Amino acid sequence: MKASRIAAAGAVAGVAVLTLSAPAFAHVSVQPEGEAAKGGYAVVNFKVPNERDNASTTKLEVTFPTDHPLASVMPQPIDGWDVKVTKSKLDKPLEVHGKKIDEAVTKVTWTADDDGIEPGFFQKFPVSVGSLPENTDELVFKALQTYSDKEVVRWIEVPQEGKDEPDYPAPVLALSEASADGHSHGASDDKAHEADEDKSAGDAEKAAAETTAAADSGGTDTTARVLGIVGIVVGAAGVAYGVLAGRRRTSA
């Protein structure tokens, strides 16, 4: 009886040790730089940690959503990685800035030239995307992570609200609402910003020109004022000297 209890206790203890020693694995995720507002453009980072002790991550494949295709997808070059952008025909063309687009990026693949992401490190893969859809609150990007030992981890399970996070969740980008004035950080806003900068620069040049003209036209008057001030100072010094001299004579 005692032996059975001891064996059971040992088994429970063993399971507890394994549970406590199991690492909390990180997963491939996506986050915007700043915010990702509906209807606008954003730069998003796919963050890839290396979860292995004896292998490097040498490849990342990210599948872009086809239910909410993005007209513009531009990866940022990363030293030590080759990038390939795959486009596909759309079943339903998009209309962006008055133009119809019949194809969109459906996959971006990064392949390491050398060692890739070594154990104990992570890598960010930035991508400029837009315009972001206005009829959804999130975008799901399924990803495949390949290691140097040929192991492939499939981050493709879509998280469900009200349920526990899956073992291999797909990266999900949360979209924020557009600003109160209905503007997003898009190309049209960039142009408006550039116009404001040009106007400000023009105003500054105009003000500088007016100041220079005023200085040139009023040069003589300024000189006269300076000479007048110098005369007042010299006169005051003379008065002070006279008063001191009178006091010395009286004391004598």
Side-chain angles (χ1 to χ4, degrees):
M1 187 68 178
K2 289 183 179 180
S4 299
R5 290 180 179 178
I6 293 173
V12 172
V15 171
V17 170
L18 290 175
T19 302
L20 292 175
S21 63
F25 291 123
H27 52 265
V28 176
S29 60
V30 59
Q31 291 292 333
E33 293 184 3
E35 66 174 8
K38 296 178 181 180
Y41 288 75
V43 174
V44 299
N45 288 307
F46 292 95
K47 182 180 177 181
V48 182
N50 190 331
E51 299 178 338
R52 300 293 180 265
D53 296 329
N54 55 356
S56 298
T57 295
T58 57
K59 188 177 182 180
L60 174 68
E61 300 172 73
V62 176
T63 300
F64 282 66
T66 56
D67 54 343
H68 298 289
L70 300 171
S72 175
V73 175
M74 293 184 293
Q76 178 177 315
I78 301 176
D79 291 340
W81 293 82
D82 289 329
V83 59
K84 178 183 177 182
V85 178
T86 303
K87 293 184 177 182
S88 300
K89 289 287 184 179
L90 298 176
D91 295 334
K92 183 179 180 181
L94 294 175
E95 186 169 340
V96 180
H97 304 305
K99 296 182 179 179
K100 286 188 176 182
I101 298 176
D102 59 359
E103 68 176 9
V105 173
T106 52
K107 182 188 292 186
V108 178
T109 304
W110 291 268
T111 304
D113 293 332
D114 199 356
D115 295 332
I117 309 172
E118 297 183 359
F121 293 88
F122 74 90
Q123 175 72 53
K124 288 184 178 180
F125 298 86
V127 183
S128 173
V129 297
S131 58
L132 297 172
E134 300 181 16
N135 57 346
T136 185
D137 294 326
E138 62 184 26
L139 293 175
V140 178
F141 300 86
K142 297 183 178 182
L144 301 181
Q145 181 179 9
T146 302
Y147 286 91
S148 55
D149 59 2
K150 307 304 180 184
E151 178 190 6
V152 178
V153 181
R154 301 169 63 84
W155 304 99
I156 62 173
E157 299 177 27
V158 181
Q160 301 294 329
E161 186 175 355
K163 296 184 178 181
D164 293 339
E165 184 178 69
D167 292 335
Y168 299 95
V172 178
L173 176 66
L175 304 181
S176 61
E177 296 296 332
S179 59
D181 58 4
H183 288 223
S184 301
H185 300 291
S188 59
D189 294 320
D190 292 339
K191 291 181 180 179
H193 181 64
E194 292 174 359
D196 290 340
E197 289 183 339
D198 293 341
K199 183 177 183 298
S200 298
D203 292 342
E205 292 177 358
K206 182 179 179 181
E210 291 176 350
T211 302
T212 303
D216 292 341
S217 61
T220 304
D221 183 57
T222 301
T223 302
R225 290 179 182 178
V226 172
L227 292 176
I229 292 173
V230 172
I232 292 173
V233 173
V234 173
V239 172
Y241 179 81
V243 171
L244 291 174
R247 288 181 178 177
R248 289 177 180 174
R249 286 194 295 270
T250 301
S251 298

